[in-house]
């Protein structure tokens, strides 16, 4: 299995631009999680899905953030408009039977 | 409130020395427990987990952890550390039923001296 796939691995954008991060979970996993990691705040859970349905989005920092999971093999996290404080590493993880498997992350830099 | 505490932010050990990383949790019921490792520039990798049964669990890379219900602890150990073990280690807890959302500790960064 290829594991959780995230793209792009690195993204540099200017403030105000729209950013879309993509995730392909492990086949057969029924949960998908989006996390953000920064030095200041550590690892934060943004939102998670169960069987493609959003369960808890209380960690999404603002309305500028949105996430979708149109099918079992794809999810997106969108930031519009982006701000410098959104700079972080964004991880996607998928899970089956309570074990979460993380992707390699997308390092986002907003200038 | 549900929480995970890793009291040590940084730990430095010599290569070949033993290691113990501490993890304490606060949870309404006996949770599922996990340790993850994150090497620089990479995602988190599952080291080991405890669901039930034997309270001493073995994981990958020679790590083990012991669940102590009376102390609400799940400490990670390794008898002899290798330089490649330098990384950040995260303890996590989750519910034994229902939605499997995990609560992560703040992490312990391990440095290994040659």
């Amino acid at each position: 299995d290829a594991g959780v796939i995230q793209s792009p691995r690195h993204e540099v954008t200017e403030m105000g631009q729209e950013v879309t991060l993509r995730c392909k979970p492990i086949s057969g996993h029924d949960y998908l999680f989006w996390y953000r990691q920064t030095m200041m705040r550590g690892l934060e859970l943004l939102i998670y899905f169960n069987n493609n349905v959003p369960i808890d989005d209380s960690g999404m920092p603002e309305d500028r953030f949105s996430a979708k999971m149109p099918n079992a093999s794809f999810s997106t996290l969108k930031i519009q408009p982006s701000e410098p404080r959104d700079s972080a590493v964004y991880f996607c993880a998928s899970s089956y039977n309570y074990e979460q498997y993380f992707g390699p992350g997308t390092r986002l830099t907003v200038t | 409130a549900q929480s995970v505490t890793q009291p040590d932010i940084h730990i430095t050990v010599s290569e070949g020395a033993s290691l113990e990383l501490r993890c304490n949790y606060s949870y309404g019921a006996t949770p599922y427990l996990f340790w993850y490792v994150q090497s620089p520039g990479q995602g988190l990798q599952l080291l080991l987990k405890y669901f039930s049964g034997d309270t001493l669990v073995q994981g990958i890379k020679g790590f083990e952890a012991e669940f102590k219900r009376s102390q609400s602890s799940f400490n990670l150990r390794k008898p002899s550390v290798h330089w490649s073990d330098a990384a950040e280690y995260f303890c996590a807890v989750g519910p034994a039923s229902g939605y499997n959302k995990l609560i992560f500790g703040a992490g312990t960064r391990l440095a290994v001296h040659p």
Side-chain angles (χ1 to χ4, degrees), chain B residues 4-9 22-24 35 89-91 104-108:
Chain B
V4 177
T5 301
Q6 293 182 245
D8 305 305
I9 298 174
R22 295 181 291 165
C23 173
N24 293 95
W35 275 99
Y89 292 80
F90 293 90
C91 180
F104 283 85
T108 297

Side-chain angles (χ1 to χ4, degrees), chain A residues 81-100:
Chain A
S82 58
E83 296 182 3
R85 59 190 167 133
D86 301 330
S87 297
V89 180
Y90 291 81
F91 289 105
C92 173
S94 69
S95 172
Y96 178 76
N97 197 26
Y98 298 96
E99 298 180 18
Q100 290 190 22

Side-chain angles (χ1 to χ4, degrees), chain A:
Chain A
D1 197 320
V4 175
I5 300 172
Q6 292 187 246
S7 65
R9 292 294 311 277
H10 301 273
E11 177 80 38
V12 180
T13 191
E14 293 183 347
M15 181 175 61
Q17 297 298 305
E18 177 179 296
V19 175
T20 299
L21 311 181
R22 297 173 175 79
C23 175
K24 177 178 171 56
I26 295 172
S27 177
H29 284 192
D30 56 350
Y31 280 84
L32 185 138
F33 303 82
W34 281 102
Y35 292 89
R36 178 172 69 175
Q37 187 177 41
T38 61
M39 290 294 292
M40 291 298 295
R41 301 175 68 91
L43 191 66
E44 302 174 276
L45 175 63
L46 301 177
I47 184 172
Y48 71 99
F49 297 81
N50 178 221
N51 293 320
N52 312 339
V53 176
I55 302 302
D56 184 355
D57 66 354
S58 60
M60 297 285 260
E62 301 171 32
D63 291 344
R64 299 185 295 106
F65 286 69
S66 62
K68 294 182 180 180
M69 192 167 185
N71 57 62
S73 59
F74 184 66
S75 177
T76 60
L77 177 68
K78 185 177 293 186
I79 308 173
Q80 166 63 17
S82 58
E83 296 182 3
R85 59 190 167 133
D86 301 330
S87 297
V89 180
Y90 291 81
F91 289 105
C92 173
S94 69
S95 172
Y96 178 76
N97 197 26
Y98 298 96
E99 298 180 18
Q100 290 190 22
Y101 292 85
F102 283 72
T106 295
R107 181 173 295 277
L108 173 65
T109 303
V110 183
T111 61

